[in-house]
Amino acid sequence: MLVDSAMKDRLFVFDTTLRDGEQSPGASMTKDEKLRIARQLEKLGVDVIEAGFAVASPGDADAIHAIAGAIKESTVCSLARANERDIHAAGGAIKPAKSGRIHTFIATSPIHMEKKLRMQPDQVVEAAVKAVKLALEYTDDVEFSAEDAVRSEMDFLVRIFDEVIKAGAKTINVPDTVGYSIPALWGERMKQLIERVPHSDKVIWSTHCHNDLGMAVANSLAAVMNGARQVECTINGLGERAGNASLEEIVMAVRTRKDVFPCDTRIDATQIVPASKLVSTITGYPVQPNKAIVGANAFAHESGIHQDGVLKHRETYEIMRAEDVGWNANRLTLGKLSGRNAFKTKLGELGILIDSEEALNAAFARFKELADKKREIFDEDLQALVSSESYAAEHERYKLVSLRVCSETGEIPNAQLVFTDNGAERRAEGSGSGPVDATFKALESVVASEADLLLYSVNNITSGTDAQGEVTVRLAKEGRVVNGQGADTDIVVASAKAYLHALNKLDSKMERAHPQV
Ligand code: KIV
Ligand code: ZN
């Protein structure tokens, strides 16, 4: 990415859904899922896709490599700590990219340097400079982040940023790693850094805010008002703990209040809702109904006065139009009579590429089953269907064959299941306080995973009583947390699928390093 004065009014969007977002408990994604999200991010028009943390695991490196090979319109980036091993892994992973970036970071706050890194400030500066120089051997697009900048001393930040700019970093990122700042202070910090760091006009200043106090978006916007020209954010605000700044809120704030922001992004806002739904489907993190921009109620007017106003003149209560951010794009896509070719073409339009004939046939068979139960099939139904198919192809140990549930007023609900365990048929039966409880108890009576159930949630994928219910089950075992998803027009069947999906994930034992540990 070039840095010149003609770009001053462009606000670069750096999406880290696939890296920081993936650090949310249980949100880890397969390569195929990451590729699907990356393609949607490219369609959305994000400038930089942080595709992962290459050194974390061979699977992470492989996914970044695949994304780097597939994406042409966005820069593809890998995170790397400021050490040789990380930088080599990142450099190798982004190699196929048309435009690739290495994002290297080291902590700069007294507490992190002393307690976590056990390094002296001079050593930290030295490691940062070395890392930037090594990264430049792989790409001329190197970003440096001062982790925990929010609790770092200003003079030290000025010193380290000066040194990494001299070493060749093109983007300087200032993270509020722990979500501690407030807008006035964060804006002031950005302003002072830009004023005090020599040659600050030669780099893009970036902000990366976490949402622990609910101020990630407000802090990011304050930084933008004070000179930041890159925002690091995630779809739906996914991310560590309370999450990162939400991409859709930042983009729409800057666009809706163009009267106050001196810059704009190149985001195609009509792709926001599809991106939000895709990320939610794949990660199993539902979007709260009152979430700005992408929540189901974000454009719903309930009170009579508001409805009356909107009917008379839309702008009385609406500052944005639902269709401008991709609502109502809920298109009827296919039906019962659609053929395999139409199905394949539709998947292509949705950015879903199924490379093997076998996987396509399995997905088509599932589509036909669904079309028998549900008259109208929407884009979201296909996304959910393909998510479960692609996961199944990669890791399926347990698979649901059939489920019978008896639930009657005054009686104890009972569930009987048939499922396969590595191809061998198993039967399970259990009772519980409701049909879902009975189903899970039946499965546990045979599988005996002893995992803790942390979360159970059901969401409708589209509207109407014939909609598919999408269930998320979060299980924890021996320090690992996984999310399982299942979709079906019958929510008890969806629940059984979600439980088995989570068990499959626990079974697949994906071990990964965490960048901040
Ligand atoms: O929150 C943080 O500080 C990070 C860095 C790696 C940029 O995610
Ligand atoms: Zn972060």
Side-chain angles (χ1 to χ4, degrees):
M1 200 186 290
L2 294 170
V3 179
D4 69 31
S5 56
M7 284 183 165
K8 281 284 183 240
D9 288 334
R10 164 91 163 270
L11 178 61
F12 293 101
V13 175
F14 176 114
D15 180 279
T16 183
T17 306
L18 298 176
R19 198 279 297 171
D20 222 331
E22 206 200 14
Q23 288 170 214
S24 314
S28 60
M29 301 165 227
T30 65
K31 174 167 116 183
D32 182 66
E33 290 168 339
K34 287 186 182 179
L35 260 167
R36 282 170 53 208
I37 292 182
R39 288 200 180 96
Q40 178 60 30
L41 293 173
E42 184 182 37
K43 225 168 162 184
L44 180 64
V46 311
D47 298 287
V48 186
I49 298 173
E50 186 163 54
F53 174 44
V55 88
S57 74
D60 279 53
D62 189 32
I64 300 169
H65 198 264
I67 292 169
I71 297 298
K72 301 290 170 239
E73 303 296 327
S74 312
T75 294
V76 176
C77 168
S78 170
L79 184 69
R81 288 166 301 195
N83 66 56
E84 286 188 19
R85 192 168 151 253
D86 280 38
I87 305 274
H88 289 311
I94 61 159
K95 198 155 181 224
K98 190 168 162 214
S99 165
R101 173 180 295 189
I102 295 179
H103 173 196
T104 186
F105 77 100
I106 192 162
T108 50
S109 61
I111 182 170
H112 275 231
M113 289 192 288
E114 191 191 323
K115 307 281 183 213
K116 183 181 87 170
L117 298 176
R118 301 205 171 97
M119 285 167 83
Q120 294 301 319
D122 286 351
Q123 294 173 300
V124 168
V125 175
E126 195 187 325
V129 168
K130 230 171 122 188
V132 169
K133 287 187 176 159
L134 184 58
L136 284 166
E137 291 180 16
Y138 289 97
T139 169
D140 61 1
D141 187 352
V142 175
E143 169 171 338
F144 173 77
S145 283
E147 190 193 5
D148 204 19
V150 68
R151 292 182 295 174
S152 301
E153 283 161 10
M154 199 59 184
D155 289 348
F156 186 60
L157 284 179
V158 171
R159 176 179 163 206
I160 198 165
F161 288 154
D162 179 22
E163 293 298 334
V164 294
I165 292 172
K166 282 197 284 208
K170 299 274 194 309
T171 303
I172 299 296
N173 183 38
V174 189
D176 180 1
T177 305
V178 289
Y180 181 64
S181 202
I182 59 169
L185 296 182
W186 199 239
E188 185 55 29
R189 180 151 280 232
M190 185 56 74
K191 182 164 171 263
Q192 279 194 25
L193 284 168
I194 294 176
E195 274 168 13
R196 289 186 53 190
V197 173
H199 307 296
S200 64
D201 58 329
K202 299 285 183 290
V203 294
I204 298 278
W205 288 86
S206 169
T207 186
H208 175 117
C209 296
H210 281 268
N211 204 31
D212 299 65
L213 293 173
M215 283 186 278
V217 169
N219 287 337
S220 303
L221 294 175
V224 170
M225 290 300 251
N226 284 281
R229 286 295 176 269
Q230 176 178 283
V231 277
E232 301 201 351
C233 45
T234 58
I235 302 290
N236 299 338
L238 197 69
E240 286 267 6
R241 307 180 308 276
N244 287 61
S246 127
L247 179 148
E248 56 278 7
E249 292 177 21
I250 293 180
V251 166
M252 291 316 291
V254 169
R255 197 154 289 176
T256 307
R257 296 308 310 266
K258 44 169 108 46
D259 53 331
V260 291
F261 286 98
C263 48
D264 198 5
T265 68
R266 69 171 185 109
I267 293 292
D268 172 0
T270 61
Q271 292 299 326
I272 285 179
V273 169
S276 161
K277 292 195 171 183
L278 181 64
V279 168
S280 169
T281 301
I282 287 179
T283 60
Y285 270 71
V287 176
Q288 77 197 51
N290 56 331
K291 163 88 174 64
I293 321 289
V294 293
N297 294 349
F299 293 88
H301 297 277
E302 185 67 23
S303 91
I305 296 173
H306 287 206
Q307 285 174 353
D308 181 53
V310 169
L311 286 174
K312 284 181 177 141
H313 188 80
R314 190 174 181 152
E315 272 107 65
T316 49
Y317 287 99
E318 273 189 10
I319 56 164
M320 295 170 278
R321 296 188 319 168
E323 54 271 36
D324 291 348
V325 296
W327 281 108
N328 313 335
N330 218 6
R331 280 176 302 130
L332 176 62
T333 56
L334 298 170
K336 199 175 164 156
L337 300 177
S338 307
R340 192 170 167 285
N341 260 346
F343 177 69
K344 191 175 173 189
T345 310
K346 185 68 218 176
L347 293 185
E349 277 171 35
L350 292 174
I352 302 168
L353 303 178
I354 299 191
D355 33 25
S356 87
E357 281 299 295
E358 201 188 335
L360 181 66
N361 289 342
F364 185 61
R366 276 276 299 124
F367 158 71
K368 283 286 179 186
E369 260 173 47
L370 181 62
D372 269 342
K373 293 191 230 159
K374 190 173 185 286
R375 210 164 36 87
E376 300 172 322
I377 308 255
F378 296 94
D379 291 357
E380 291 85 347
D381 291 312
L382 290 183
Q383 298 279 17
L385 184 149
V386 174
S387 277
S388 54
E389 283 303 321
S390 70
Y391 189 84
E394 286 179 51
H395 306 277
E396 200 163 57
R397 171 177 170 181
Y398 301 112
K399 190 171 173 7
L400 181 69
V401 177
S402 65
L403 168 65
R404 182 165 185 272
V405 187
C406 296
S407 181
E408 195 183 332
T409 323
E411 298 294 326
I412 296 175
N414 173 273
Q416 293 169 22
L417 292 108
V418 181
F419 63 100
T420 52
D421 177 354
N422 281 327
E425 201 166 280
R426 316 275 307 259
R427 283 169 191 277
E429 181 166 359
S431 306
S433 59
V436 173
D437 191 42
T439 302
F440 289 2
K441 287 200 168 119
L443 282 172
E444 266 309 307
S445 72
V446 175
V447 173
S449 76
E450 287 170 16
D452 291 324
L453 178 68
L454 300 187
L455 175 130
Y456 170 80
S457 79
V458 190
N459 283 283
N460 50 330
I461 293 182
T462 53
S463 51
T465 48
D466 74 340
Q468 290 195 90
E470 185 171 52
V471 173
T472 300
V473 164
R474 187 173 302 160
L475 295 181
K477 189 177 176 186
E478 291 159 6
R480 287 185 66 214
V481 179
V482 295
N483 283 335
Q485 287 92 45
D488 201 280
T489 47
D490 179 328
I491 58 163
V492 188
V493 173
S495 304
K497 285 182 182 170
Y499 199 88
L500 291 172
H501 184 198
L503 290 178
N504 282 329
K505 280 192 169 176
L506 277 180
D507 187 60
S508 74
K509 299 238 173 346
M510 286 187 290
E511 293 303 343
R512 317 169 56 224
H514 188 292
Q516 275 137 336
V517 177

